[in-house]
Amino acid sequence: MTVKIHDTPDVQNFLKAVAGFDQQGGSHRGKQILHRLLSDVYRLIDDFDVSPEEFWSAVSLLNELGKESQFGLLAPGLGFDHYLDMRMDAADEQAGLTGGTPRTIEGPLYVAGAPVSEGEARMDDGSDVDAEVMWLTGQVCDTQGKPVAGAQVEIWHADSKGGYSFFDPSQSQYNLRRTIIADAEGRYRARSIIPSGYGVPAGSPTDQVLKLLGRHGQRPAHIHFFVSAPGHRHLTTQINLAGDEYTWDDFAFATREELVVDATRIEDAAEAAKRGLEAPFTEVVFDVELAPTADPEQQSRHKRPRALEDEATAAKREPVEA
């Protein structure tokens, strides 16, 4: 079929009606965005001669993505998260904002309300006895190299099987999730376990889309961070552990060269004892540089739906009884 009707007056008027331009209520911006989206999809149907069978197969896949709550998993796989980062990087460059540890994607697996510790924390619950012990440490400084005392370092990562607490019901609450308030020298320390990379569920809607593109759904071993302090730009980032098979082939496109960090295995008992550990263990060092800002909006993470965030915010507002 070679029929193309997108640019006809009938279709253009139809698009305006579908987008609500002939109605008084609603959001004008919402109407503009939906009109553009629908127009592009209608044109795509024309250009690729999409059949009804293909269209309804796509609708069925979208239904499955929603039912499995996988839109947040597919989004980074289709590059949306990284594209938003690219836009923010470009905006920074245009504004002449330089310095600071690079940002990279947040992903969909943050959970608000993790326990808070001063200076140091143990992140794992001790149940994964076969996992390699990790000593994660670093220093938060400003762009002049001055330590940022009291910086808030939120950390979360997967277990040795690639699962995240809250989303993996077999794990204890807030396992491998902590908020650490850096000490007077801007240092934070955490005992945890070496995380595993993970793959999207086999046969899942996300997996089906990636296979359609001839791509895999694997992520390398990585550790997520939110780092913030008054007078500094909030940092959303993550580090990839060097040497992982997928470090440079991350389906979520989160890898940045400056954020690939060595994991050093230490077998010396004396070195382990300095950290209150038993040998062997693996040390990961990640120092953070925060850029200055006087803009209160840039000092906080951007707003988006996050697990338990509303509950955690409400809990902070409630008075604590002695």
Side-chain angles (χ1 to χ4, degrees), residues 5 13 22 38 56 59 78 103 109 129 134 148 172 185-186 199-201 207-208 236 258 265 267 287 292 299:
I5 62 172
N13 290 332
D22 59 349
L38 293 175
W56 288 108
V59 170
L78 294 182
R103 63 167 59 88
L109 300 173
V129 294
M134 175 176 68
V148 180
S172 62
E185 296 181 344
V200 303
D207 188 41
Q208 292 176 48
T236 298
E258 307 95 319
R265 198 162 196 266
E267 300 186 0
D287 294 327
Q299 295 179 32

Side-chain angles (χ1 to χ4, degrees), residues 18-172:
V18 172
F21 283 129
D22 59 349
Q23 304 296 320
Q24 292 297 317
S27 162
H28 182 66
R29 177 174 170 81
K31 292 178 183 184
Q32 289 179 308
I33 291 173
L34 190 61
H35 181 270
R36 170 63 180 272
L37 175 64
L38 293 175
S39 181
D40 287 350
V41 173
Y42 283 20
R43 186 183 294 278
L44 179 151
I45 290 172
D46 257 9
D47 290 347
F48 288 90
D49 192 19
V50 174
S51 69
E53 290 81 6
E54 290 174 318
F55 174 80
W56 288 108
S57 292
V59 170
S60 178
L61 182 60
L62 291 173
N63 284 338
E64 289 301 310
L65 282 165
K67 186 166 68 176
E68 300 292 331
S69 299
Q70 287 194 8
F71 280 110
L73 182 61
L74 180 59
L78 294 182
F80 286 107
D81 297 42
H82 183 62
Y83 183 65
L84 292 171
D85 280 350
M86 292 172 71
R87 280 178 50 83
M88 289 188 284
D89 287 348
D92 288 350
E93 183 177 358
Q94 189 176 73
L97 300 175
T98 60
T101 297
R103 63 167 59 88
T104 193
I105 72 170
E106 175 183 333
L109 300 173
Y110 173 79
V111 177
V116 180
S117 298
E118 297 284 342
E120 184 173 323
R122 178 164 181 173
M123 296 182 60
D124 68 297
D125 62 9
S127 62
D128 196 343
V129 294
D130 295 325
E132 176 84 6
V133 173
M134 175 176 68
W135 183 253
L136 173 64
T137 186
Q139 185 177 32
V140 183
C141 293
D142 63 18
T143 52
Q144 303 303 311
K146 180 181 177 181
V148 180
Q152 179 172 284
V153 183
E154 297 182 68
I155 308 170
W156 68 102
H157 64 77
D159 66 6
S160 63
K161 300 178 181 63
Y164 283 77
S165 62
F166 181 83
F167 302 96
D168 172 10
S170 71
Q171 296 187 47
S172 62

Side-chain angles (χ1 to χ4, degrees), residues 288-303:
V288 175
E289 184 180 273
L290 292 183
T293 183
D295 184 351
E297 187 173 330
Q298 291 194 26
Q299 295 179 32
S300 301
R301 57 178 176 252
H302 67 267
K303 295 180 175 63

Side-chain angles (χ1 to χ4, degrees), residues 271-291:
E271 285 298 316
K274 291 178 183 178
R275 300 159 179 81
L277 306 174
E278 295 180 0
F281 70 98
T282 295
E283 184 168 64
V284 176
V285 179
F286 178 51
D287 294 327
V288 175
E289 184 180 273
L290 292 183

